Amino acid sequence: MTPPAARRPRTAPAVALVTALVTALVTALVTALTGAVAGAAAPAAPSHPAHRRVLTVAVAQTVDSLSPFTAQRVISTSIHRMIYEYLTNYSAKDASVIPGLATSWQASPSGLTWRYTIRSGERWSDGVPVTAHDAAFTFSKMISDPAAATANGNFTANFASATAPDDRTLLIRLKRPQATMLALDVPIVPEHIWKNVRDYASFNNDQSFPIVGDGPFVLTRYQPDQYIRLDAARHYWRGSPRFDEVLFRYYKDQDAAVEALRKGEVSFVSGLTPAQYDSLRHTPGITADLASAKRFFALAMNPGASALDGQRFGDGNPALRDPRVRRAVQYAIDRERLVEKATQGYAVPGAGYLPPRYRTYHWAPDPAHAMGYDPARAEALLDSAGYRRGPDGIRRTPRGGPLTLRLLGHNTDPQDQRAGEYIAGWLRKAGIQVDQSYVDPSTLAAREQAGDYDLAFDGWAVNPDPDYVLSIQTCAARPQTPRSAGATDDFLCDPAYDRLYRQQSEEYDPARRAALVQRMQQRLYEDGYLDVLYYPAVLEAYRSDQIASIQRQPLNGGNIYPQDGYWSWWSAVPGSGAADGAAGPWAGLTGKLGTGGGLGLVFAAVILLGGLAARTVRRRRTRDERE
């Protein structure tokens, strides 16, 4: 499988769309008639037994890209964990660093040169040997091509070079010490495939299957907003997965996903609402899990969007540039009650940027400096900032208009709307009018990236090493121009925060680094542009008859999805009722497309139509999804 040198843009014009549609249908016809599936003839494609044990996972998040160089969403990066090896991995037991593609490593006395020994005897799924040259190519590309550094450039910005003096040795030379050298969350790609890609900004790695990788699974088929199919890699060095296939199936309606779980049409559902979790945990045949928070849920306040070229853009309310107004918003919100009402108690009130699960780095303010619920303090701050109440109780801006903040959230997430109602009520009591707007993720992403909002719900999952999630709040993460994409979360640019970020990134001593990371969280907290409201528990459930056992991360109190690694899907043991891919509800998809029958053609046409139509409105990245 070799990807074409260049790809069409994500949003195709109408003529191109029609051309693509016709081409796709013709291809589907030929495929169905000849029984040939694109890429099926690859040398190392997994063999398929007559009856396949399929683990079906209900998902809602859209893939932003299947390119490891640009993908940032949870669903995309989780897929990459399954199909590509990283130099190191995180253990299922406690998320500590363990070998991955690299079996050992050593730093020079100066800490500026790192030598990794690459695992021997490994092969890509097309049969080509995996070598240190693949790793050197991956990192060198990220060093030399800004587009290839879009998703994970924070890991290579300090690299001077990445070379492979032989097949088993990778040498990375640094400009300065770098604390993340054992936590480089970068998928290593096959050089013989990716050297042919001309434009890393537009190539999405989603047109030719199977995708060549070296992980425990091989991505064999994908249709946007329909499904993602992964087959077990039969010769994976850690052992082949027990299930023959993992199928990520899309449900836009979470209630429909839960109903599918009850019926046995899917094996696993995550992201449950508290009510769904409470109902499922008393349902025979279903195991409901509650795990400690891996992410935070926050209220972002627009600081006034700006790009690296100095241009300002967006229409954020200038009142939020006054720290007194931002602190007033923080004091006006009752986090304890918000947790009780919006999550039914399945969360922990928030403050620091990193959830308590990451004890080494987690920070919380001491009681004397916490900005807890204090309506009187909020009133006083707004008064001192010059926003006095009008006759209707709403405070007035310097121009005499009502002080109104627009709150932006997802119409697909009940949590946003529940929390929004309470926050709007508390701010209204403080004299701030709130216009709530809940929109589809594409619209929300477009407005956020344009800087057209005042308040927005925000949330990120956090890796064991916090460097990445800390990097998205640095000045350098902003877009190059107002029209270009950037890794920034909230357009923040605080030189003092940036200095701390650089210090922690260069600190090899764990204790000193943790102290710097905690100071960064304190800075964010006091700055007030990102108000961490709470850390929501992970609520998920699976069918006990289809999954006999599955690994959590960490083992005690951990979650199944998402993980920092592939442990859950790799370790899952089929139960007596495990879905049979040849006879289950998606038999037309997993079976017919692979053998070429009339029913397969119908499915192919429908799915291709749906997928191509979806491309015309392909969603931009949303802040909540770039986790």
Side-chain angles (χ1 to χ4, degrees):
M1 188 276 293
T2 301
R7 296 288 179 184
R8 63 177 181 267
R10 292 186 176 191
T11 302
V15 173
L17 175 62
V18 171
T19 302
L21 177 60
V22 171
T23 301
L25 286 171
V26 169
T27 301
L29 276 167
V30 172
T31 296
L33 293 173
T34 61
V37 176
S47 60
H48 300 313
H51 298 284
R52 296 163 58 79
R53 293 167 300 183
V54 181
L55 194 164
T56 304
V57 180
V59 293
Q61 193 179 53
T62 300
V63 167
D64 53 347
S65 172
L66 288 176
S67 166
F69 297 98
T70 56
Q72 292 176 290
R73 292 181 182 167
V74 168
I75 181 67
S76 311
T77 57
S78 295
I79 294 297
H80 289 146
R81 284 279 183 188
M82 299 169 71
I83 66 175
Y84 295 112
E85 280 283 15
Y86 296 41
L87 285 183
T88 57
N89 206 333
Y90 300 102
S91 76
K93 179 181 178 182
D94 58 5
S96 59
V97 173
I98 61 174
L101 182 60
T103 57
S104 62
W105 44 82
Q106 184 175 22
S108 66
S110 67
L112 294 177
T113 299
W114 285 73
R115 178 186 296 270
Y116 299 86
T117 300
I118 302 300
R119 190 175 299 281
S120 63
E122 298 307 309
R123 292 184 178 275
W124 296 102
S125 55
D126 61 358
V128 175
V130 180
T131 72
H133 299 284
D134 295 303
F137 168 82
T138 300
F139 292 123
S140 296
K141 190 66 187 176
M142 295 172 65
I143 295 170
S144 61
D145 185 346
T150 299
N152 300 306
N154 62 304
F155 293 116
T156 56
N158 182 42
F159 283 17
S161 66
T163 58
D166 57 59
D167 285 354
R168 303 268 67 85
T169 304
L170 170 69
L171 288 179
I172 295 179
R173 291 186 170 83
L174 305 173
K175 302 170 189 174
R176 303 179 302 278
Q178 181 166 322
T180 59
M181 293 307 289
L182 297 184
L184 297 172
D185 294 329
V186 177
I188 303 301
V189 302
E191 180 181 10
H192 65 285
I193 298 293
W194 285 83
K195 69 180 181 183
N196 300 310
V197 176
R198 291 180 182 171
D199 183 1
Y200 278 64
S202 61
F203 179 66
N204 286 318
N205 197 30
D206 60 359
Q207 297 293 301
S208 185
F209 299 96
I211 291 177
V212 175
D214 61 345
F217 292 89
V218 179
L219 202 164
T220 54
R221 192 159 293 275
Y222 160 68
Q223 288 294 340
D225 295 337
Q226 298 290 329
Y227 68 90
I228 307 164
R229 171 178 154 180
L230 299 107
D231 289 352
R234 296 301 175 195
H235 305 291
Y236 183 58
W237 67 271
R238 206 185 289 273
S240 179
R242 305 284 188 89
F243 276 91
D244 301 302
E245 174 183 330
V246 174
L247 181 70
F248 289 89
R249 182 177 169 185
Y250 277 88
Y251 287 86
K252 293 301 183 188
D253 182 342
Q254 184 73 355
D255 287 336
V258 170
E259 187 59 25
L261 182 75
R262 293 183 187 277
K263 293 179 178 177
E265 295 174 357
V266 300
S267 316
F268 174 86
V269 178
S270 64
L272 298 173
T273 65
Q276 290 167 341
Y277 171 78
D278 283 340
S279 68
L280 289 173
R281 68 195 181 104
H282 299 299
T283 301
I286 290 178
T287 299
D289 272 1
L290 183 155
S292 59
K294 185 175 168 56
R295 66 194 297 270
F296 63 78
F297 181 74
L299 185 68
M301 306 185 204
N302 190 342
S306 64
L308 290 172
D309 65 3
Q311 295 186 67
R312 301 189 72 87
F313 57 98
D315 64 359
N317 193 320
L320 290 172
R321 298 176 195 173
D322 187 330
R324 292 170 295 184
V325 175
R326 299 195 299 275
R327 287 172 187 153
V329 171
Q330 290 176 290
Y331 280 117
I333 296 174
D334 187 343
R335 289 166 187 74
E336 301 280 348
R337 192 166 180 216
L338 190 65
V339 165
E340 176 190 345
K341 296 297 183 182
T343 76
Q344 275 105 75
Y346 289 118
V348 176
Y353 192 53
L354 305 176
R357 170 189 283 203
Y358 304 102
R359 287 179 292 180
T360 300
Y361 299 110
H362 175 67
W363 173 86
D366 63 70
H369 297 91
M371 286 183 270
Y373 181 52
D374 190 340
R377 189 82 173 267
E379 295 265 2
L381 284 165
L382 290 168
D383 287 344
S384 68
Y387 295 94
R388 299 288 178 174
R389 287 185 185 269
D392 57 356
I394 300 299
R395 295 178 181 274
R396 292 296 187 263
T397 68
R399 293 186 176 182
L403 177 56
T404 303
L405 300 178
R406 298 161 300 165
L407 173 59
L408 193 59
H410 296 83
N411 62 7
T412 55
D413 190 341
Q415 176 183 233
D416 282 16
Q417 298 178 44
R418 285 197 301 271
E421 288 297 326
Y422 283 98
I423 290 172
W426 287 318
L427 294 185
R428 176 67 176 79
K429 288 182 180 177
I432 300 174
Q433 183 168 276
V434 177
D435 287 346
Q436 301 176 64
S437 178
Y438 300 99
V439 297
D440 65 88
S442 296
T443 302
L444 186 145
R447 288 179 58 180
E448 286 183 327
Q449 293 188 1
D452 294 338
Y453 67 98
D454 300 324
L455 307 173
F457 287 121
D458 193 0
W460 284 77
V462 177
N463 295 334
D465 188 285
D467 186 87
Y468 178 78
V469 77
L470 294 171
S471 75
I472 60 177
Q473 304 295 356
T474 61
C475 299
R478 292 173 299 158
Q480 189 64 40
T481 70
R483 292 184 175 276
S484 59
T488 185
D489 184 34
D490 293 306
F491 298 104
L492 299 187
C493 183
D494 175 5
Y497 177 90
D498 280 14
R499 284 193 293 274
L500 290 168
Y501 173 76
R502 178 165 172 166
Q503 290 173 30
Q504 69 80 29
S505 69
E506 298 177 7
E507 181 56 68
Y508 284 135
D509 182 87
R512 286 199 291 268
R513 185 185 180 211
L516 289 164
V517 170
Q518 290 166 354
R519 286 176 59 190
M520 294 176 72
Q521 295 175 79
Q522 181 178 357
R523 182 90 189 166
L524 285 174
Y525 179 75
E526 294 173 350
D527 194 43
Y529 280 119
L530 190 71
D531 185 11
V532 176
L533 301 171
Y534 54 78
Y535 312 107
V538 181
L539 305 178
E540 51 196 9
Y542 66 87
R543 289 196 63 90
S544 312
D545 59 337
Q546 296 186 14
I547 301 175
S549 68
I550 192 166
Q551 205 156 41
R552 279 81 170 169
Q553 185 190 45
L555 293 183
N556 295 323
N559 60 290
I560 294 172
Y561 176 84
Q563 293 186 347
D564 298 295
Y566 41 68
W567 308 112
S568 53
W569 314 132
W570 172 77
S571 70
V573 176
S576 58
D580 185 338
W586 282 67
L589 173 68
T590 60
K592 297 296 184 180
L593 280 180
T595 58
L599 183 58
L601 173 60
V602 173
F603 272 103
V606 171
I607 291 167
L608 283 166
L609 279 166
L612 288 168
R615 284 176 179 280
T616 64
V617 291
R618 174 168 273 195
R619 297 158 51 183
R620 300 174 66 185
R621 289 196 299 261
T622 75
R623 175 162 299 147
D624 190 51
E625 291 173 331
R626 290 178 301 165
E627 302 178 278

